[in-house]
Amino acid sequence: MAATIYLHWTATGYDWIRPGHYHRIIGGDGRVHRLHALTADLPAHTWRRNSNSIALACDCMGGQPDPWTLSPTAAQLHSLCQEVAAIARSWGWTAADITIQSVMTRAEAASNRDGRWMHDNYGPVIWGGTGERWDLLQLEQHGPSDGGEQLRQRIAALLSGDELALPASDRLAFRGFTSIEARGKKLSMPMAAPGR
């Protein structure tokens, strides 16, 4: 199989960071945790699709009893798209290479939406599956069921250098500056709206 990037959610809270499952995990604040080399084949992220693939996951959807109480944040989705765009760029991919064959949500992979019949359909019920995996089918509660296509459009826009194509809600707003000390030097840092 050609190299594929799979997009997941962890079905946890916003700060679950554990190696072994995903190459990258994006916390609720949008911070990317790079846990494994992209060349490592992780054995259990996407059934029958783990070889020659990369798994990126957003820490979210672990709300009980309603997963949507911990829905994907705008910062997570933006960081997810930026991370995919950076990986794609490093592989020499262009915006035209961002297709369902190269970048898929777990919902799409579970339902074999790329046209490769890898297994029985365990994806969303609306796509004829058993409903076991529906990662990123929707990016917001009651939103359209085209999360994968929305993400691919955002990633392609980043690769084209067209950040204006991203929704305004996905842009991080800065509200001033602070300073931090790193390696003995004071650095000026922008501060996000919530004071981070």
Side-chain angles (χ1 to χ4, degrees), residues 118-130:
M118 304 294 291
H119 42 67
D120 290 338
N121 186 345
Y122 64 99
V125 173
I126 64 167
W127 292 340
T130 59

Side-chain angles (χ1 to χ4, degrees), residues 58-70:
C58 291
D59 264 347
C60 59
M61 296 302 285
Q64 297 293 329
D66 179 8
W68 286 106
T69 59
L70 292 171

Side-chain angles (χ1 to χ4, degrees), residues 147-191:
E149 189 54 37
Q150 289 181 54
L151 293 169
R152 283 186 292 276
Q153 288 174 3
R154 294 182 193 187
I155 294 160
L158 287 167
L159 283 171
S160 297
D162 185 12
E163 292 227 26
L164 296 178
L166 294 170
S169 64
D170 280 354
R171 293 193 199 109
L172 185 59
F174 291 100
R175 300 282 187 259
F177 286 84
T178 188
S179 63
I180 64 169
E181 190 171 318
R183 297 185 183 173
K185 294 182 181 179
K186 276 231 187 240
L187 302 172
S188 177
M189 298 294 296
M191 188 166 50

Side-chain angles (χ1 to χ4, degrees), residues 44-195:
H45 61 83
T46 312
W47 190 50
R48 299 194 64 184
R49 293 171 176 264
N50 295 309
S51 296
N52 200 29
S53 66
I54 293 174
L56 307 178
C58 291
D59 264 347
C60 59
M61 296 302 285
Q64 297 293 329
D66 179 8
W68 286 106
T69 59
L70 292 171
S71 61
T73 67
Q76 281 180 308
L77 296 175
H78 185 64
S79 291
L80 178 67
C81 292
Q82 285 182 316
E83 191 70 11
V84 174
I87 293 166
R89 195 174 291 114
S90 75
W91 289 351
W93 290 3
T94 66
D97 295 311
I98 306 302
T99 66
I100 196 168
Q101 283 74 31
S102 61
V103 179
M104 301 180 70
T105 65
R106 178 73 183 273
E108 292 167 327
S111 295
N112 298 302
R113 300 289 279 192
D114 58 350
R116 296 178 274 194
W117 192 255
M118 304 294 291
H119 42 67
D120 290 338
N121 186 345
Y122 64 99
V125 173
I126 64 167
W127 292 340
T130 59
E132 291 173 63
R133 294 290 183 266
W134 54 286
D135 302 34
L136 301 167
L137 171 70
Q138 297 167 299
L139 303 184
E140 58 191 30
Q141 190 173 19
H142 308 301
S145 299
D146 67 345
E149 189 54 37
Q150 289 181 54
L151 293 169
R152 283 186 292 276
Q153 288 174 3
R154 294 182 193 187
I155 294 160
L158 287 167
L159 283 171
S160 297
D162 185 12
E163 292 227 26
L164 296 178
L166 294 170
S169 64
D170 280 354
R171 293 193 199 109
L172 185 59
F174 291 100
R175 300 282 187 259
F177 286 84
T178 188
S179 63
I180 64 169
E181 190 171 318
R183 297 185 183 173
K185 294 182 181 179
K186 276 231 187 240
L187 302 172
S188 177
M189 298 294 296
M191 188 166 50

